[in-house]
Amino acid sequence: MSALPDGVPPVVRPYGDTTGDGMVQVSFTLPLAPGKRAEGAAQQLARRMGIDAPMVVHATGIGDRYTFFVVYGPVSHVVDVAAVEVVEREYPLLSPKETNAAVREHLQRKLVVVGACIGTDAHTVGIDAILNVKGWAGEKGLEYYREMKVVNLGAQVSVPDLVERARAERADAVLVSQVVTQRDAHVHNTTTMSAAFREAFPAERRPLLVVGGPRFDEAGAAALGVDRVFGRGTTPGEVASYLVHAVAARAAARREVPA
């Protein structure tokens, strides 16, 4: 159990029409043609999910064999807020000026970052938001930082090509964005990538491996074999601050190892 900030109640229920009424809204698709039987099936599923007296508030046919539903109703479950586990940020957020100064202090050269979307993923919005100078959410991307060299490989990069480019650039960090998640493609691609880097580099020379995307679990870095996972809403400043923190920690660890 973790201590709660002031003003945070220990137990909460969902809110719909009035505070604490337990109302939730869920959406899903069933492989049934639109109609009364399909709506009854949606209500049955909702009841088995713990929704009492579920109401089908929206039903749209998808072709003649599928129906998309939105179901609304109350649940009796409560949330134990103190038992909620999250990945806390263990490093301070730095301004670009502070980041540049930290890189100069700890590396005495530019920090090299290689980024890509791997596998069949062609969605570059995420990686571009972090790397491109125009950035995202009012923050400039890593290309803006004077003490960083950024190599953006774009979309559909194979894992072997990513490994070789990281080696050629002597990358300190590799950033991978994954948006395509069908059949857990993002998990497969990431574990394949991490295994390839561990095979290609000695542990002390392997770049930091950082992945991001809307469907990743930020607590799943160890299972994926990477150093850090960033979820939706991550800003360039958060990534830059993490890279400086992690690179500085590595540099300190190397200095402590006897010759």
Side-chain angles (χ1 to χ4, degrees), residues 87-93 113 126-127 130 136 139 142 173-179 186 190 208-222 224 226-246:
V87 177
E88 299 286 357
R89 178 168 49 82
E90 73 280 15
Y91 54 90
L93 288 178
V113 180
I127 198 71
I130 300 300
W136 181 76
E139 295 184 6
L142 302 191
V174 171
L175 271 57
V176 167
S177 173
Q178 292 282 267
V179 175
H186 60 309
T190 300
L208 291 166
L209 301 179
V210 180
V211 297
R215 291 282 299 278
F216 280 111
D217 178 1
E218 292 187 345
L224 294 171
V226 300
D227 297 289
R228 189 77 180 195
V229 174
F230 285 105
R232 67 185 185 280
T234 300
T235 65
E238 290 178 281
V239 176
S241 298
Y242 166 73
L243 293 180
V244 169
H245 163 78

Side-chain angles (χ1 to χ4, degrees), residues 114-128 131 151-159 162 174-180 189 193 212:
V114 174
C117 299
I118 59 175
T120 59
D121 202 321
H123 299 77
T124 62
V125 174
I127 198 71
D128 289 343
L131 298 183
V151 180
N152 188 348
L153 301 181
Q156 296 182 323
V157 178
S158 72
V159 168
L162 179 61
V174 171
L175 271 57
V176 167
S177 173
Q178 292 282 267
V179 175
V180 175
N189 289 340
M193 180 268 296

